[in-house]
């Protein structure tokens, strides 16, 4: 394999709290050395002056739709979108058709990823059979097959006993359950946050208390079992408080948040634009502020995309009938830099940590660091690059995004996976 030398960039390595201008030398697909004034005979040199060099970004929550929903996305198009956005490792959710609830499916998807994916794709298995919340899936067999975590994402497991059984079982393997926390009885048929805006639009709402109750229950069950729990796409300020208090008690809980829940509110909901229909829904500015504080004080560990592409004909429907979600891999970093770093709300090292090192730690992945001897999964970011969100230039098959037409500042310009360039200047190879 060739030798690559990334010269003169601002290197941010959250694992070591390293933040300085330095060079990164890559040999045989691994990081050889990080330091000043490095050189190597015959190396391909990339000038990173004025740019930021970080661990490859890690996303714990994507929907690549395989198996069964390839018209929306597949491992090739999804991984191309990941590479374009600066991500080198992604974890794909199991709410597919069929649901990923067997070891055989985990193995087949791992092979599929190895054959076609541009980045590392990790498989998350279902907690219960067919995600019905009634009977545990093949958890042990899926772990042996390579599943990195378990989730009934898209569903709230209604039976506490079944979830407690899952915690007890997975505690033995030190594996994480990622919970979609929303008490269904409080939000069935709701399509946006319950509040003033939903009343004005005449839409049924999904109250924050539905999330709060679910988070409290699932955290308490994990505490009782001594197990690990990860709260998916947290959106409620009160839920952040619940997680914060649980961490203070020593509960093994982590949490994630999306850029859209950090930067958008229910005031953005427009009946004629279904891209804003997501689950959990966009909340209030008060919730956004609480989420930001949760990131700053360590309550929230990871920034994820919840990349959820749909076919165009599915989203081009009345708001109440359209599915929830939109593709986020290619806009996530740009939104974080534009709305939260350039505006002074968050420090750049914190954003990088929450998008690389900390998510990898939450699931125990060997990723998210710049360390000699480790795989050269690296992202180079131009923090000043101005660009316009244009779905015609997306690699994902999803075309509905609330960020379409926005002028953003900051973008990944180079993505390396195992020392190979998979994206350069926006073009995926």
């Amino acid at each position: 394999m060739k030798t690559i030398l990334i010269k003169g960039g601002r290197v941010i390595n959250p694992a070591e709290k390293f933040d300085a201008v330095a060079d990164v030398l890559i040999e045989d697909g691994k990081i050889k050395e990080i330091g000043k004034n490095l050189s190597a005979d015959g190396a391909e040199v990339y000038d990173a002056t004025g740019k930021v060099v970080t661990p490859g970004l890690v996303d714990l929550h994507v929907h690549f739709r395989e198996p069964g929903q390839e018209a929306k996305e597949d491992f090739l198009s999804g991984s191309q979108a990941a590479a374009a956005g600066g991500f080198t490792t992604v974890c794909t959710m199991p709410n597919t058709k069929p649901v990923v609830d067997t070891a055989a499916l985990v193995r087949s998807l791992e092979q599929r990823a190895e054959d076609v994916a541009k980045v590392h794709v990790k498989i998350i298995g279902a907690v219960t059979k067919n995600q019905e919340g009634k009977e545990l899936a093949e958890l042990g067999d899926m772990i042996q097959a390579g599943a990195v975590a378990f989730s009934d994402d898209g569903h709230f497991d209604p039976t506490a006993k079944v979830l407690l059984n899952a915690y007890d079982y997975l505690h033995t393997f030190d594996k994480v359950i990622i919970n979609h926390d929303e008490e269904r009885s409080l939000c069935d048929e709701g399509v946006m946050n319950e509040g003033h805006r939903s009343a004005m639009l005449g839409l049924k709402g999904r109250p924050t208390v539905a999330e709060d109750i679910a988070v409290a229950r699932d955290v308490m069950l994990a505490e009782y079992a001594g197990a690990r729990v990860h709260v998916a796409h947290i959106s409620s300020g009160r839920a952040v408080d619940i997680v914060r208090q649980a961490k203070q008690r020593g509960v093994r809980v982590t949490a994630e948040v999306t850029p859209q829940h950090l930067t958008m509110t229910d005031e953005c909901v427009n009946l004629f634009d279904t891209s804003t229909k997501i689950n959990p829904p966009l909340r209030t500015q008060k919730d956004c502020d609480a989420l930001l504080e949760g990131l700053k004080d360590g309550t929230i560990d990871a920034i994820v995309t919840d990349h959820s592409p749909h076919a165009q004909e599915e989203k081009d429907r009345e708001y109440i009938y359209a599915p929830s979600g939109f593709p986020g891999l290619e806009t996530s970093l740009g939104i974080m830099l534009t709305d939260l770093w350039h505006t002074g709300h968050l420090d750049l090292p914190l954003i990088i940590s929450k998008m690389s090192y900390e998510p990898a730690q939450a699931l125990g992945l060997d990723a998210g660091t710049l360390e000699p001897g480790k795989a050269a999964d690296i992202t180079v970011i131009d923090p000043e690059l101005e660009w316009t969100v244009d779905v015609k230039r997306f690699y994902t098959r999803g075309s509905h995004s609330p960020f379409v037409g926005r002028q953003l500042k900051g973008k990944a310009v180079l993505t390396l996976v195992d020392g190979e360039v998979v994206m350069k200047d926006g073009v995926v190879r």
Side-chain angles (χ1 to χ4, degrees):
M1 296 180 71
K2 61 187 175 184
T3 300
I4 298 176
L5 182 59
I6 302 174
K7 292 281 292 183
R10 177 185 174 185
V11 178
I12 297 177
N13 182 20
E16 303 293 334
K17 293 183 170 52
F18 182 89
D19 182 359
V21 174
D23 307 333
V24 180
L25 179 61
I26 300 160
E27 288 184 359
D28 298 324
K30 297 185 182 298
I31 297 172
K32 176 73 173 178
E33 187 178 358
I34 299 174
K36 293 183 179 295
N37 303 316
L38 301 183
S39 61
D41 293 339
E44 177 182 328
V45 178
Y46 183 89
D47 183 5
T49 303
K51 299 180 177 65
V52 182
V53 182
T54 76
L57 303 184
V58 177
D59 192 343
L60 302 183
H61 195 142
V62 304
H63 297 269
F64 278 1
R65 306 304 190 190
E66 287 200 45
Q69 298 173 308
E70 290 83 357
K72 299 183 180 189
E73 192 81 290
D74 61 21
F75 277 19
L76 176 58
S77 61
S79 65
Q80 288 174 324
F87 293 89
T88 59
T89 299
V90 298
C91 302
T92 184
M93 285 293 179
N95 50 331
T96 49
K97 295 183 179 180
V99 168
V100 182
D101 59 3
T102 67
L105 272 172
V106 171
R107 291 192 192 95
S108 67
L109 291 175
E110 286 193 324
Q111 186 61 54
R112 169 71 172 160
E114 186 176 333
D115 290 343
V116 306
K118 301 294 183 180
V119 303
H120 303 296
V121 178
K122 305 297 183 181
I123 310 302
I124 296 172
V127 177
T128 62
K129 290 183 178 180
N130 203 36
Q131 292 188 316
E132 293 177 350
K134 298 177 180 178
E135 184 179 356
L136 295 186
E138 297 178 5
L139 303 179
D141 289 345
M142 283 193 282
I143 290 170
Q144 290 186 335
V148 297
F150 296 88
S151 178
D152 278 352
D153 186 52
H155 307 269
F156 175 66
D157 291 320
T159 306
K161 177 59 177 174
V162 171
L163 185 59
L164 182 59
N165 289 343
Y167 280 140
D168 284 336
Y169 187 87
L170 292 173
H171 175 58
T172 306
F173 300 93
D174 200 33
K175 290 296 182 182
V176 182
I177 292 181
I178 302 172
N179 282 327
H180 180 123
D181 282 316
E182 216 174 8
E183 171 53 55
R184 295 293 306 177
S185 65
L186 293 174
C187 57
D188 271 346
E189 299 183 3
V191 296
M192 67 172 293
N193 182 58
E194 184 175 271
H196 177 265
R197 182 66 174 168
S198 64
M200 292 294 292
L201 294 175
L203 296 175
K204 290 186 177 180
R206 306 172 80 94
T208 54
V209 71
E211 180 174 322
D212 303 339
I213 289 171
V215 170
R217 186 203 75 166
D218 290 353
V219 166
M220 291 176 71
L221 287 173
E223 182 176 18
Y224 182 78
R228 298 174 64 193
V229 58
H230 182 82
V231 179
H233 40 49
I234 197 167
S235 69
S236 157
R238 179 62 191 278
V240 173
D241 282 336
I242 293 168
V243 172
R244 181 180 292 113
Q245 293 165 20
K247 284 192 170 190
Q248 291 170 354
R249 296 196 308 272
V251 181
R252 304 174 71 195
V253 56
T254 51
E256 65 184 38
V257 67
T258 71
Q260 50 268 29
H261 287 110
L262 286 166
T263 63
M264 301 177 68
T265 72
D266 55 1
E267 293 296 325
C268 299
V269 173
N270 182 332
L271 287 175
F272 303 101
D273 180 9
T274 61
S275 67
T276 59
K277 186 180 179 183
I278 59 176
N279 187 15
L282 298 172
R283 302 294 189 185
T284 67
Q285 187 60 53
K286 183 178 179 180
D287 293 301
C288 290
D289 294 342
L291 295 173
L292 273 176
E293 287 305 310
L295 274 178
K296 292 176 182 178
D297 67 17
T299 301
I300 299 175
D301 306 84
I303 297 166
V304 304
T305 65
D306 193 8
H307 176 82
S308 303
H310 294 283
Q312 184 169 343
E313 62 271 17
E314 292 179 300
K315 289 294 272 187
D316 283 340
R317 305 174 68 189
E318 290 181 58
Y319 203 93
I320 60 173
Y321 299 120
S324 297
F326 64 85
L329 283 166
E330 292 168 85
T331 56
S332 175
L333 180 61
I335 291 296
M336 292 302 302
L337 295 177
T338 303
D339 289 351
L340 296 175
W341 178 56
H342 282 296
T343 56
H345 292 292
L346 294 175
D347 293 333
L348 185 57
L350 184 143
I351 291 175
I352 299 305
S353 182
K354 302 292 184 182
M355 296 184 75
S356 59
Y357 176 65
E358 291 184 63
Q361 291 294 297
L363 261 59
L365 306 177
D366 187 14
T369 66
L370 295 176
E371 181 182 337
K374 293 285 189 180
D377 296 340
I378 298 173
T379 302
V380 179
I381 300 164
D382 185 341
E384 302 299 325
L385 179 63
E386 295 186 355
W387 59 289
T388 302
V389 178
D390 181 0
V391 295
K392 293 180 180 178
R393 304 187 62 144
F394 277 0
Y395 282 94
T396 176
R397 292 182 179 173
S399 60
H400 288 77
S401 167
F403 307 124
V404 170
R406 276 208 59 188
Q407 184 92 4
L408 300 182
K409 189 174 184 180
K411 197 176 194 295
V413 292
L414 186 72
T415 308
L416 285 81
V417 175
D418 291 328
E420 293 287 336
V421 176
V422 296
M423 184 279 288
K424 185 176 182 181
D425 297 328
V427 178
V428 177
R429 301 181 177 183

